[in-house]
Amino acid sequence: ALCINVQCSDLLETLSLIFCGADVNCSTGMANCPSPESLASAHSQPLQAELIKHNLNTELPQLQVEADMDLKHYPPPPCVSYEGYLFKTASMGRAVAERKVKEEFSRRWCMLNDGIFNYYEHDKSTNPNGTLKASEIVCLAVDAPEKHGYDFTFELYSESERIYLFGTDDPDTHKEWVKCIAKTFIPTTAEPLLRLNFERIGRLKCKDGLNLQKSKVGWFALAGSTLHVYLENSKGEEIHLRKLNELSIQQDNEVLVLVEKGRTLYIEGERKLDFAGWCGAIQAAAGSGGDTLSQQQLTDTDIPVIVLSCIDYITQCGMTSEGIYRKSGVNSRVAALCDRFRRDARSLRLKEGEHQVDDVSNTLKRFFRELEEGLFTSEYAYSWLTITALQDENKKISDYKALLDRLPRVNKATLQALINHLYCVQRFSELNQMNLHNLAIVFGPTLFQTDGKDYAAGRAIEDLIEHYTVDEQQLNRQLEEIKAIIQMREKCNTKFPSRPRFEGDGHFICTVYLEELKDTSEQHVKIPGSMTAAELAYEVLDRRNIPVKDKDYWSCWEVCEEIERPLHYQERVLPILHSAGNESHLLIKKQPAMDAMITYLATKVDVSKHGMMKFREERSILGLGLSTGNFHDRFFILNVTSLRMYKDVRSNRAERDWVVKNLKIYLGIKKKLRPPTCWGLTVVYESKKQEKSERQQWYLCCETQSEMREWYATFLSIQNDGNLWPQDGVQQNRVSRVLPDTRHGNVSLIPLRGSENEMRNSVAAFSQDALAVSQSANH
């Protein structure tokens, strides 16, 4: 450390090192500068040399070492001093999009010393053409070889939003410059990043799920498909980009959101230029990186997303399709699907009606056939085939297990998922005509990438399916789920039409809960297009034989995590199902505050309401875009047409103005937003302007429960023209519904098992036809 420091002008650090016991008589290991004193003189540091000279006879403190202590030698870090010729373009204020030819580069003598990077006209020049301090460098990007005219280039991003592009044809020189420059601006706390073979390294501001109120400075390095992160006062972390659940750019391209299992990281765009570079690099690294299994976008269980997506789709929609995996799809559609999966498998959702079963099954087969190295790997594929000739079944199974354990982790997980799926397919061979032998004929040559002239490959697949073993309880649960889906389809004669779905055309199977979100309270209900919330509530109550007493305000609630909304008794259910999010559920329970709200509204002279409430916008969820993420006092006026917000009671001009009919009011606010009181409302505003949907969300907090109830009652009264609840009760107003016979006509059912929203998303967007509704009601 002393040898390194005497080369710069920091006398205090040298003095500190001497006081701590640094040996001023040590050898530098360099023939031309054998001592620290001569090293300081060689680097034009006379004061450093004088300080070393005056301390040559100082008695050094001795380190007392216990006999059993195992000392290890830690070599000093490489000297952050380097010089030589590089080729440089003019600095740029925008990203380098086009290829720079050699003629655009100029030869410059570059010197890195004492945390300052200078470049000169030539090595004899005394005045630099330009200077870049280490503290000004925010990012270093290493370009792919031959991206520009010079084979090896790198880019430096500065605080002042400039890019400096340097190049050379010598890979060793390039590597040394990258290492030295990175070391000048990466702090010692993030020093392990320097040992990576990174493509991009630098600092960014970010927030994680533990603290969304304050930004942290993080040091990031992108190496392959892994993002290495060192945050303030924390150890290093790795984010496997191909395993992300979600990757998106939000807040007008100012926030990069990375969602992985159990955690969300928000990277902020403090500087547009280097942030854009990081976004592009991370998105590219998160996509499929090649044709091997390990280079695909993966799930948490190390299975490629394309494989799991196709298997899930076939399980939901193709288990009864005759000749599944044997029939050919339309080649152009299969090629298009393969291309979309290859570009970004995570963003593609297979939808029935939009995607055909045979196209999806052929996409899966083509993926395995075109896989580089194959599923069984080129190293072991022949060994798998030779085992098929063994007569001893026990020996054969033992050898198969040994080869399975030798497969790479991703290959093994993928093979297990595929064999599990094929086992389930052949269990329903009486419906799909694909027994064990037929599947082996199809998948043998596909998975082993052979010409299929002999049956060795088919025999191997047949053996794997036949001897497939898994937890019996788990397998039985799988088979029962598939049976339930098939039975629903057969019972309702279900086929998803390719034309648009209208209200009178079909029904929807939905899981509804009674009073609490538990498996024991589940009810699977058929939802016609015209069914209201009251009709759904009382159908569930009838099934459970629950009597309804006077002033029992049973309602259907839309529940989304910590917030909930009682549907108006005349509100249609089906549009709610189509617009609900992934965490939403329908729950039948009583409205305990309905009687108090009706009493309050009966005493009101004026339908409007005004008063103070605490306000916070949606973007404060991330704590982004605002100086603070707190609630602020605002004065509100609610009338029959609009909700207006003023800075205070004395203000004459409204800060915001919303149409009341476009508002959805939810009871409650998520706890992570830290509302000042527990009496809050979540407000969602939806409108459509020039064919473009607009959605906003914000939060209102009241001081008391009664105050919140009054605001909520006023909202509902205005939105429903005073009709909160029928005067003679819902039971007396229930419509006697005669559902059409599902065994005739073209009624369509959507069976829901597991993730309801995945199936919702697979249906064409709901379109309400008032005429069709009235006609069906008249019948």
Side-chain angles (χ1 to χ4, degrees):
L2 180 64
C3 293
I4 294 172
N5 201 72
V6 297
Q7 301 174 47
C8 65
S9 58
D10 193 346
L11 291 172
L12 287 177
E13 180 65 18
T14 301
L15 195 60
S16 176
L17 289 170
I18 294 173
F19 286 161
C20 290
D23 185 3
V24 294
N25 301 300
C26 68
S27 172
T28 64
M30 293 181 282
N32 56 340
C33 301
S35 67
E37 182 186 359
S38 59
L39 189 62
S41 299
H43 283 80
S44 303
Q45 299 293 339
L47 292 178
Q48 293 277 24
E50 189 69 17
L51 180 61
I52 295 295
K53 182 178 179 181
H54 283 289
N55 285 275
L56 285 177
N57 296 322
T58 302
E59 184 178 352
L60 300 177
Q62 299 297 314
L63 176 65
Q64 299 297 323
V65 182
E66 298 292 337
D68 58 347
M69 183 181 291
D70 181 22
L71 287 181
K72 296 182 179 178
H73 175 66
Y74 292 94
C79 174
V80 188
S81 177
Y82 201 69
E83 59 186 32
Y85 276 106
L86 285 173
F87 296 88
K88 177 188 176 296
T89 64
S91 64
M92 293 159 281
R94 57 184 178 86
V96 187
E98 68 282 352
R99 174 182 169 86
K100 297 290 185 180
V101 297
K102 283 190 173 184
E103 288 72 21
E104 297 181 73
F105 288 80
S106 300
R107 191 168 181 254
R108 292 289 181 265
W109 176 256
C110 301
M111 293 183 64
L112 178 65
N113 191 28
D114 202 13
I116 298 176
F117 180 74
N118 292 315
Y119 49 93
Y120 302 81
E121 191 74 26
H122 49 75
D123 59 347
K124 304 299 182 183
S125 301
T126 56
N127 295 322
N129 288 15
T131 297
L132 196 60
K133 295 181 180 179
S135 58
E136 297 173 345
I137 302 175
V138 296
C139 179
L140 166 61
V142 181
D143 295 322
E146 301 181 6
K147 178 180 179 180
H148 298 292
Y150 285 92
D151 291 346
F152 304 96
T153 55
F154 61 87
E155 301 168 14
L156 297 179
Y157 292 74
S158 71
E159 285 273 13
S160 57
E161 297 274 22
R162 304 295 296 179
I163 297 180
Y164 299 83
L165 177 62
F166 295 89
T168 178
D169 281 330
D170 181 21
D172 294 331
T173 300
H174 175 265
K175 183 177 180 181
E176 192 65 26
W177 272 112
V178 167
K179 181 181 70 173
C180 292
I181 292 175
K183 191 170 179 62
T184 62
F185 74 96
I186 298 297
T188 54
T189 54
E191 193 172 3
L193 296 178
L194 299 172
R195 296 194 286 268
L196 300 172
N197 186 24
F198 55 81
E199 294 104 55
R200 183 175 288 264
I201 191 170
R203 78 171 188 261
L204 292 164
K205 281 191 175 180
C206 61
K207 299 177 183 179
D208 58 20
L210 299 177
N211 184 4
L212 297 177
Q213 303 302 321
K214 182 180 178 182
S215 298
K216 300 178 181 179
V217 174
W219 295 92
F220 293 75
L222 179 63
S225 61
T226 304
L227 185 64
H228 301 261
V229 185
Y230 277 79
L231 301 180
E232 291 175 344
N233 303 319
S234 66
K235 295 181 179 179
E237 305 173 52
E238 293 183 1
I239 300 175
H240 299 282
L241 298 176
R242 292 193 184 124
K243 287 189 176 183
L244 290 177
N245 296 332
E246 179 188 335
L247 175 63
S248 59
I249 301 176
Q250 300 177 7
Q251 301 283 337
D252 297 326
N253 296 326
E254 293 181 356
V255 181
L256 182 65
V257 183
L258 288 74
V259 182
E260 57 180 347
K261 188 177 182 181
R263 183 192 180 183
T264 302
L265 183 69
Y266 306 95
I267 300 176
E268 298 182 42
E270 186 179 11
R271 296 163 301 274
K272 291 185 178 180
L273 201 55
D274 73 296
F275 179 70
W278 277 107
C279 288
I282 289 174
Q283 286 177 319
S288 297
D291 294 325
T292 64
L293 273 178
S294 61
Q295 293 174 317
Q296 307 303 309
Q297 290 176 324
L298 303 174
T299 65
D300 293 329
T301 53
D302 288 322
I303 302 170
V305 174
I306 177 177
V307 173
L308 210 57
S309 294
C310 292
I311 287 177
D312 286 346
Y313 181 86
I314 298 300
T315 301
Q316 289 283 345
C317 312
M319 295 300 279
T320 61
S321 177
E322 186 173 334
I324 182 67
Y325 289 117
R326 188 179 61 200
K327 289 183 179 178
S328 298
V330 177
N331 191 57
S332 59
R333 294 201 297 252
V334 172
L337 268 178
C338 289
D339 184 60
R340 287 191 62 190
F341 271 122
R342 192 176 294 110
R343 278 187 278 116
D344 188 5
R346 192 185 295 109
S347 65
L348 178 57
R349 296 290 181 267
L350 296 174
K351 301 178 182 180
E352 193 164 6
E354 182 178 334
H355 302 104
Q356 306 304 313
V357 169
D358 292 328
D359 294 337
V360 175
S361 64
N362 277 266
T363 297
L364 183 62
K365 290 193 298 180
R366 181 176 293 189
F367 169 75
F368 282 117
R369 178 167 282 282
E370 295 178 352
L371 203 59
E372 188 178 327
E373 290 289 311
L375 178 61
F376 294 96
T377 73
S378 57
E379 182 179 0
Y380 296 113
Y382 180 73
S383 301
W384 284 88
L385 297 179
T386 57
I387 294 175
T388 61
L390 296 177
Q391 299 300 317
D392 186 343
E393 285 295 312
N394 292 330
K395 171 66 172 171
K396 181 187 289 188
I397 294 173
S398 176
D399 288 355
Y400 278 140
K401 287 182 177 179
L403 286 176
L404 184 64
D405 290 336
R406 294 180 190 175
L407 287 178
R409 184 183 68 255
V410 176
N411 296 56
K412 184 177 180 179
T414 305
L415 179 59
Q416 289 174 329
L418 180 63
I419 296 301
N420 175 78
H421 171 62
L422 297 181
Y423 178 86
C424 293
V425 171
Q426 60 90 30
R427 284 291 295 264
F428 296 93
S429 59
E430 72 279 3
L431 300 174
N432 56 42
Q433 306 303 313
M434 293 301 289
N435 56 27
L436 179 63
H437 183 70
N438 289 342
L439 286 173
I441 290 175
V442 172
F443 274 93
T446 297
L447 299 181
F448 283 96
Q449 301 176 341
T450 62
D451 55 14
K453 290 182 179 179
D454 61 60
Y455 190 58
R459 169 57 65 187
I461 301 303
E462 193 170 330
D463 288 340
L464 289 175
I465 299 174
E466 186 177 4
H467 298 292
Y468 174 68
T469 56
V470 73
D471 180 76
E472 188 173 347
Q473 186 176 1
Q474 178 185 345
L475 182 60
N476 289 336
R477 186 165 61 248
Q478 260 186 301
L479 295 174
E480 287 301 318
E481 289 178 357
I482 296 173
K483 286 178 183 177
I485 292 175
I486 293 174
Q487 288 169 1
M488 284 186 180
R489 289 177 176 273
E490 289 177 347
K491 179 180 178 181
C492 306
N493 192 24
T494 303
K495 283 191 177 180
F496 286 74
S498 57
R499 59 189 176 82
R501 287 283 306 282
F502 292 96
E503 187 173 84
D505 217 9
H507 303 154
F508 197 97
I509 297 293
C510 174
T511 300
V512 182
Y513 297 86
L514 180 60
E515 295 193 288
E516 53 185 353
L517 297 174
K518 291 185 177 179
D519 294 341
T520 54
S521 63
E522 280 187 6
Q523 290 289 316
H524 298 286
V525 184
K526 184 163 51 179
I527 310 292
S530 58
M531 176 176 273
T532 63
E535 291 168 348
L536 174 58
Y538 283 95
E539 180 168 332
V540 172
L541 294 175
D542 288 345
R543 288 188 182 188
R544 292 293 185 96
N545 296 318
I546 297 177
V548 180
K549 301 177 183 178
D550 186 33
K551 292 193 176 182
D552 274 356
Y553 299 101
W554 286 96
S555 301
C556 178
W557 295 67
E558 178 190 352
V559 180
C560 182
E561 296 181 337
E562 300 171 57
I563 63 174
E564 58 185 11
R565 178 179 75 93
L567 275 60
H568 187 263
Y569 74 95
Q570 291 180 332
E571 191 170 351
R572 298 284 174 79
V573 179
L574 195 55
I576 303 302
L577 292 175
H578 282 284
S579 62
N582 290 334
E583 301 299 328
S584 296
H585 305 277
L586 291 183
L587 181 68
I588 307 300
K589 66 175 183 176
K590 295 179 183 178
Q591 278 203 63
M594 179 57 75
D595 197 40
M597 289 194 296
I598 293 174
T599 303
Y600 165 74
L601 292 172
T603 60
K604 278 177 66 70
V605 178
D606 185 11
V607 294
S608 64
K609 181 173 174 57
H610 58 81
M612 297 293 294
M613 285 190 287
K614 296 184 182 297
F615 169 82
R616 175 174 174 172
E617 289 187 273
E618 179 190 35
R619 52 182 174 170
S620 295
I621 293 176
L622 308 182
L624 303 171
L626 294 178
S627 57
T628 65
N630 298 327
F631 284 79
H632 303 279
D633 288 323
R634 290 293 184 270
F635 183 72
F636 289 87
I637 297 178
L638 174 63
N639 57 39
V640 293
T641 59
S642 64
L643 172 67
R644 292 174 182 163
M645 182 178 77
Y646 299 82
K647 187 173 183 179
D648 51 47
V649 180
R650 298 183 298 275
S651 299
N652 295 321
R653 186 172 182 179
E655 290 183 336
R656 307 283 283 274
D657 190 338
W658 302 279
V659 178
V660 178
K661 295 290 185 181
N662 293 337
L663 300 179
K664 273 188 180 181
I665 316 297
Y666 292 83
L667 295 169
I669 299 177
K670 293 180 180 179
K671 292 180 181 178
K672 68 179 182 181
L673 300 178
R674 299 179 182 178
T677 72
C678 56
W679 315 115
L681 302 172
T682 297
V683 185
V684 177
Y685 174 77
E686 294 178 338
S687 67
K688 197 170 185 179
K689 296 180 179 180
Q690 297 179 352
E691 302 301 322
K692 183 178 180 180
S693 295
E694 180 185 0
R695 189 178 189 276
Q696 302 173 18
Q697 186 169 311
W698 65 92
Y699 310 92
L700 304 174
C701 258
C702 303
E703 293 295 334
T704 64
Q705 183 181 16
S706 60
E707 183 185 348
M708 181 192 73
R709 187 186 300 134
E710 290 172 5
W711 277 104
Y712 190 66
T714 308
F715 272 117
L716 296 183
S717 177
I718 292 174
Q719 289 182 326
N720 298 286
D721 300 321
N723 182 18
L724 257 67
W725 200 262
Q727 294 182 356
D728 51 356
V730 174
Q731 273 194 297
Q732 285 72 27
N733 284 271
R734 290 170 62 192
V735 178
S736 177
R737 178 178 303 281
V738 180
L739 298 177
D741 186 353
T742 59
R743 294 170 296 176
H744 302 286
N746 59 353
V747 175
S748 299
L749 289 178
I750 303 170
L752 287 182
R753 298 291 296 182
S755 174
E756 298 175 24
N757 294 288
E758 285 294 320
M759 293 302 295
R760 288 185 201 136
N761 294 335
S762 70
V763 185
F766 172 77
S767 176
Q768 184 172 339
D769 186 346
L771 180 59
V773 175
S774 63
Q775 288 175 345
S776 67
N778 292 334
H779 289 305

